[in-house]
Amino acid sequence: MLVLGADGYIGWPMAMHLSRLGYRVVAVDNLARRRWDREGGTYSLVPIRSMGQRTRRWAELTGRRIEWRRLDLTDYPALDRVFAEFRPEAVVHFAEQRSAPFSMIDRDHAVFSQVNNVVGTLNLLFAIRDHAPDCHLIKLGTMGEYGTPNIDIEEGYLEIEHNGRKDRLPYPKVAGSFYHLSKVHDSNNIHFACRIWGVRATDLNQGVVYGIETEDTALDPDLMTRFDFDSIWGTALNRFCVQAAVGQPLTVYGKGGQTRGYLDIRDTMACITLALQNPAERGECRVFNQFTEQFSINQLADLVAEARAQHGLKTSVSHIANPRVEVEAHYYNAKHQHLLDLGLKPHYLGETLIDSVIGAVGRYADRVDKVLLSKPSVNWRSGGNEVWERYAHREGAPRVGRAAAARLGRTRVRAAL
Ligand code: NAD
Ligand code: USQ
């Protein structure tokens, strides 16, 4: 079993989870995410260990081995060698640039995000065709591929009747950033590979994931996974919990009616395991919407405020100018039945918010850098990255900022092409 993107927020807990279940796990990552952090002055609120330290600690505590390989998916010869060596039965693919704001900084970051994600996934499809044609590809897509249409969102496909004829076609996608669009392009490529080569694939359109504790990350501090809170990598819910903990108002962008699907990281583990244990057929491109509840941003802010109020703590909320171009009040009804049918037993945010997010944040509140938490740094119309610029000019700052970021983007894009 290959877990691609195994150094990431979800990938590391997933590698441990599958190892615990008895799979032989090869953990693959190019450590790009740690480089992007160094470049932008961002960091995980929860201290995290290197992959070498993590896998060693895992083996010490459980007697199970996770094999660790540093590899860039856009480097086809390297990917080809790993596939030829392991011929995996299944691949869980997390290894992409996953931040919408990062992809909107400038041309370089948009091009980089799409080349990294689309080329990486395309390479993977060829490696499967040539070395492991029976392998089940489990690909992390995103609910953001669909955008916010004014009709119900189905799971991947839509029955359409047009001019008296009917067909079942991929659901129309109107994504909201160059990052989200990279996932749409991936979905099209995966669908095509299933049709022409008989690849078996599950494309998981995942909602926003929250929480950092799984059975395995809780075993030892060396096994913890990352928690992002800055305006490039931190999701709204993570940011709200940290803002509240350090006494800053919660930054709701615009009206706050933006509604998305959400799930607990423990349910991510369960969903991917269910997909793995109930594989797609050869030639099938199966799409599951992977989330358990939907909330608007205003509802998230209220939930955080209510959870804190139970402990006598006050929380303030501010509606600030929206840096993104998105609909701020809309219809949203997304189906998510397939994983429930396979047996998913969801955790719910209202029941776990205090334990799974607020509690963890409280323990690390003294590590919070308020500059990173403050107003958004990337504007959808004009791009730029204000936070990085401020970091670049700070005394003792690492060599970060837009120029460095752009240089990195150019180098990586050239290398990938
Ligand atoms: P993450 O950034 O923490 O992890 C992604 C990992 O992939 C990083 O460790 C990075 O170094 C690696 N990577 C990126 N490009 C690579 C390449 N070319 N070769 C090898 N490794 C590469 O992200 P995450 O939050 O764990 O998300 C994992 C996946 O799930 C992503 O594809 C993301 O789009 C998707 N997803 C995440 C969420 C969420 O809320 N976190 C929601 C929906 C979908
Ligand atoms: N938002 C705020 N305040 C903030 C930050 C964000 O109101 O401080 C708003 C945004 O404008 C947006 C909504 O919250 O309307 C969601 O933004 P987000 O940053 O929480 O999540 P998003 O950019 O959609 O991306 C995250 C992950 C991404 C994943 C996606 C799932 O970073 O990898 O694909 O969630 S989904 O949203 O379903 O597409």
Side-chain angles (χ1 to χ4, degrees), residues 4-13 28-36 54 70-75 93-99 112 115-117 120 139-144 179 183 186 204-210 225-226 228 233 235 263 290 412:
L4 310 177
D7 187 43
Y9 162 57
I10 308 172
W12 171 240
V28 171
D29 203 292
N30 66 351
L31 306 182
R33 190 49 224 286
R34 293 182 190 245
R35 198 169 56 242
W36 298 328
R54 284 169 154 180
R70 184 169 179 177
L71 181 152
D72 189 328
L73 255 64
T74 62
D75 175 355
H93 175 23
F94 300 103
E96 298 204 326
Q97 187 302 96
R98 70 118 181 107
S99 159
F112 172 75
V115 170
N116 184 65
N117 295 359
K139 162 66 168 52
L140 273 294
T142 176
M143 283 303 293
Y179 151 69
K183 299 281 194 184
D186 283 344
L204 295 170
N205 286 335
Q206 183 171 242
V208 186
V209 183
Y210 60 85
T225 195
R226 57 180 309 126
D228 296 298
W233 302 102
T235 60
L263 76 163
Q290 181 170 306
R412 306 281 307 139

Side-chain angles (χ1 to χ4, degrees), residues 91-326:
V91 176
V92 188
H93 175 23
F94 300 103
E96 298 204 326
Q97 187 302 96
R98 70 118 181 107
S99 159
F102 183 98
S103 74
M104 299 302 291
I105 291 172
D106 56 16
R107 189 202 70 89
D108 285 327
H109 287 77
V111 172
F112 172 75
S113 299
Q114 293 211 352
V115 170
N116 184 65
N117 295 359
V118 177
V119 172
T121 298
L122 207 45
N123 282 348
L124 183 57
L125 291 167
F126 274 89
I128 290 174
R129 184 197 71 172
D130 291 346
H131 295 293
D134 204 36
C135 167
H136 180 200
L137 168 62
I138 299 178
K139 162 66 168 52
L140 273 294
T142 176
M143 283 303 293
E145 290 181 43
Y146 299 113
T148 52
N150 196 31
I151 56 172
D152 292 347
I153 295 174
E154 303 296 327
E155 298 200 62
Y157 297 91
L158 185 63
E159 301 280 346
I160 299 179
E161 192 172 340
H162 181 64
N163 292 346
R165 302 182 67 81
K166 281 187 189 166
D167 206 345
R168 179 175 179 265
L169 295 167
Y171 194 96
K173 310 269 177 79
V174 188
S177 74
F178 287 121
Y179 151 69
H180 286 99
L181 278 160
S182 73
K183 299 281 194 184
V184 176
H185 306 327
D186 283 344
S187 292
N188 285 331
N189 288 341
I190 295 167
H191 190 258
F192 184 61
C194 291
R195 279 187 285 142
I196 59 167
W197 299 329
V199 169
R200 58 171 93 228
T202 303
D203 196 354
L204 295 170
N205 286 335
Q206 183 171 242
V208 186
V209 183
Y210 60 85
I212 48 169
E213 278 201 4
T214 67
E215 189 182 4
D216 303 309
T217 62
L219 268 182
D220 189 272
D222 287 352
L223 301 181
M224 291 297 282
T225 195
R226 57 180 309 126
F227 181 99
D228 296 298
F229 64 95
D230 61 87
S231 60
I232 300 283
W233 302 102
T235 60
L237 179 58
N238 279 11
R239 286 167 54 66
F240 289 176
C241 293
V242 177
Q243 286 163 344
V246 300
Q248 284 190 2
L250 314 191
T251 52
V252 172
Y253 296 169
K255 291 186 189 136
Q258 302 94 306
T259 304
R260 305 286 184 266
Y262 290 82
L263 76 163
D264 188 301
I265 192 166
R266 292 169 294 183
D267 292 341
T268 293
M269 304 293 112
C271 289
I272 290 174
T273 308
L274 285 168
L276 193 63
Q277 291 170 345
N278 300 276
E281 300 294 332
R282 283 295 297 267
E284 184 187 10
C285 182
R286 196 172 59 165
V287 182
F288 295 162
N289 291 346
Q290 181 170 306
F291 70 97
T292 57
E293 296 175 277
Q294 59 181 57
F295 297 105
S296 71
I297 294 299
N298 285 331
Q299 287 172 322
L300 283 188
D302 288 346
L303 273 171
V304 172
E306 280 161 22
R308 286 168 50 84
Q310 285 168 22
H311 293 261
L313 300 166
K314 282 212 170 114
T315 309
S316 64
V317 176
S318 66
H319 286 257
I320 62 174
N322 195 339
R324 304 190 185 195
V325 177
E326 60 186 356

Side-chain angles (χ1 to χ4, degrees), residues 31-43 70 398-401:
L31 306 182
R33 190 49 224 286
R34 293 182 190 245
R35 198 169 56 242
W36 298 328
D37 269 351
R38 284 196 297 279
E39 166 197 324
T42 51
Y43 58 91
R70 184 169 179 177
R399 282 189 353 103
V400 294

